[in-house]
Amino acid sequence: MIDLRRYADREHLLLASYAMHSRDTGGRVHSEVSHPYRGPFARDRDRILHSSAFRRLSGKMQVFTGEMGIYHRTRLTHTFEVASVARTMARVLRLNEDLTEALALMHDIGHPPFGHCGEDVLSHCMESVGGFSHNGFALVIVEQLEQRYASFPGLNLSRETLAGQDVRAHKAEAAVGRSPVLEVQLVDAADSIAYDAHDVDDALQMGLLSIEELSELAVIRRALERTRGRHGLLPKSQLRQLLVHELIDLQVGDLLEQAVEALRPFAGHDTASVSEAGLRFCHSDAIGFERRELESFLFNAVYRHERLIPVRRAASDRLETMFRVLVQNPSRMPLRFRQRAESNPIESVVGEYIAGMTDAFCDTQFGYAVESSTGPLADW
Ligand code: MG
């Protein structure tokens, strides 16, 4: 008899056959007894939520702007927006919401301070050790750097949750052949839907762009038409919020419509057969084209905006200087990282230490690193 207090029964009743079911998990590296009422992916989600790397997302700006106001997204609020969009889609498609949420909450925890310029600086400084990738670093955090259990390092997440992040870290190789598990694909789609929409919102609020400039883009005109259809003519302050809402809603609606059609032939099939068939969620041709147009517009008009360039240059210089100081003086790193440097290249360890910092913590440690010549910097 079905007992809805049991997660396996709930999943059996609610999830599609091709969803990742908790009963099929490959377990954890360090075996643990199962929990009486939380499934393995719900536990993963909670472990990520309670990790210190997750809390530090609140101190990392999504698009690094220095001191330009307090309206715009941090990586934490971005992460919650991604989780919300991804969970909504997972529910409609009857995929595993717990796994989707775990992957969404984890997806950005490897980001260094100072937005994309932080990643660029670390990639450049770490060339001799293969560069830097925030997706790869997220795995180092959850498998090695988080300290929660006495008998092993890391969070000991389920293999499927780790594999989902691993796919993100090796996106280029994963682009052919077998497709990633559907829950991973949803998080990817939700990530780009959320950041396109909130970058529009943040850029409008900061005055980097105007609605008139954005109206050159087909997807913006589409969203504005829907807004006018629902609410008539509105003052600009209200229009911005509703535009962002419509941008998300129309992209989510489009992706879901396409996904429902793509999944139809797989009714009754399992996760592996959908993967082997190479099924990939994608937008309709029209929305796909309009999204690419929006993204290249945002890249030039926002990420390369002249007001942001000097702020980023200064942040990049601070990071690069700190990286050099620490590579030359490993004794300035906290104990945990000095120990890691005994068995790892110094460039990797300095990169890990810096990548884990928040924007403000990085600035404070930069001050100590260049102004005083002795004593280790603080651990995070
Ligand atoms: Mg993201």
Side-chain angles (χ1 to χ4, degrees):
M1 197 176 100
I2 284 185
D3 179 354
L4 286 177
R5 288 169 301 182
R6 287 202 295 257
Y7 58 82
D9 284 3
R10 272 201 311 276
E11 288 186 358
H12 178 72
L13 196 68
L14 293 171
L15 300 190
S17 57
Y18 38 70
M20 177 58 76
H21 288 249
S22 297
R23 62 163 189 254
D24 297 330
T25 180
R28 303 172 191 276
V29 171
H30 307 279
S31 61
E32 295 181 40
V33 285
S34 57
H35 193 273
Y37 49 86
R38 284 182 306 157
F41 306 131
R43 288 176 93 182
D44 289 349
R45 174 202 59 211
D46 296 345
R47 287 173 189 204
I48 295 159
L49 186 69
H50 291 278
S51 69
S52 64
F54 185 79
R55 289 193 296 282
R56 290 199 301 278
L57 289 171
S58 70
K60 300 189 188 207
M61 268 183 231
Q62 177 72 11
V63 173
F64 184 66
T65 58
E67 295 299 316
M68 284 183 203
I70 52 169
Y71 177 83
H72 45 285
R73 272 72 177 173
T74 64
R75 292 220 179 266
L76 183 69
T77 59
H78 160 70
T79 294
F80 284 129
E81 291 182 27
V82 172
S84 149
V85 170
R87 228 176 23 231
T88 297
M89 295 197 289
R91 192 169 301 173
V92 173
L93 299 175
R94 297 172 54 216
L95 298 177
N96 193 314
E97 284 182 54
D98 289 335
L99 176 60
T100 303
E101 192 174 14
L103 290 168
L105 295 185
M106 177 166 57
H107 92 280
D108 265 358
I109 62 169
H111 268 291
F114 306 145
H116 289 282
C117 74
E119 178 130 9
D120 292 345
V121 171
L122 287 184
S123 300
H124 167 69
C125 291
M126 295 169 71
E127 247 166 22
S128 63
V129 287
F132 176 84
S133 131
H134 69 266
N135 283 319
F137 184 53
L139 285 171
V140 175
I141 289 177
V142 299
E143 292 185 294
Q144 299 175 40
L145 294 176
E146 280 292 320
Q147 302 165 300
R148 288 185 65 78
Y149 302 97
S151 46
F152 48 78
L155 302 177
N156 200 28
L157 301 176
S158 307
R159 290 181 209 279
E160 293 71 26
T161 305
L162 293 173
Q165 182 60 33
D166 192 57
V167 165
R168 295 179 59 88
H170 300 98
K171 234 179 225 168
E173 294 135 64
V176 285
R178 283 172 66 100
S179 56
V181 165
L182 298 172
E183 284 82 353
V184 175
Q185 296 192 44
L186 274 194
V187 172
D188 262 345
D191 186 23
S192 74
I193 291 173
Y195 68 61
D196 285 347
H198 64 49
D199 288 354
V200 165
D201 187 21
D202 291 353
L204 284 172
Q205 199 276 343
M206 282 187 275
L208 300 177
L209 279 179
S210 66
I211 288 189
E212 289 71 27
E213 287 171 279
L214 277 166
S215 304
E216 287 170 26
L217 301 165
V219 73
I220 301 288
R221 288 199 300 276
R222 199 189 274 271
L224 286 173
E225 256 166 50
R226 284 172 51 143
T227 310
R228 270 193 290 274
R230 282 186 224 248
H231 308 282
L233 287 174
L234 290 165
K236 269 186 188 163
S237 55
Q238 277 178 19
L239 193 57
R240 188 185 77 229
Q241 316 275 1
L242 290 165
L243 168 66
V244 172
H245 163 79
E246 291 293 350
L247 265 182
I248 295 177
D249 200 53
L250 76 85
Q251 293 179 78
V252 169
D254 177 68
L255 195 101
L256 284 175
E257 256 173 52
Q258 300 293 315
V260 166
E261 279 313 308
L263 286 167
R264 208 181 291 283
F266 292 94
H269 292 238
D270 65 2
T271 314
S273 57
V274 176
S275 240
E276 275 152 29
L279 188 146
R280 282 167 206 276
F281 291 143
C282 53
H283 287 279
S284 62
D285 290 346
I287 297 289
F289 173 79
E290 292 174 17
R291 279 174 43 79
R292 287 192 291 281
E293 197 182 46
L294 170 65
E295 284 178 0
S296 71
F297 179 88
L298 287 174
F299 184 79
N300 290 309
V302 179
Y303 314 133
R304 290 186 171 172
H305 194 281
E306 57 178 10
R307 271 170 65 194
L308 299 184
I309 289 171
V311 183
R312 293 212 182 131
R313 175 100 315 267
S316 301
D317 289 348
R318 292 197 295 283
L319 269 190
E320 210 168 328
T321 303
M322 184 147 73
F323 190 92
R324 266 205 323 273
V325 167
L326 293 176
V327 166
Q328 282 159 11
N329 308 281
S331 62
R332 304 290 318 269
M333 281 194 296
L335 177 63
R336 189 156 65 108
F337 292 91
R338 295 203 299 276
Q339 287 168 342
R340 282 180 73 75
E342 288 165 15
S343 49
N344 294 284
I346 186 65
E347 290 83 2
S348 303
V349 180
V350 169
E352 288 169 357
Y353 173 48
I354 291 179
M357 296 179 178
T358 63
D359 300 347
F361 184 90
C362 186
D363 279 338
T364 315
Q365 299 311 312
F366 171 76
Y368 296 142
V370 296
E371 280 158 23
S372 103
S373 55
T374 52
L377 306 180
D379 198 348
W380 33 258

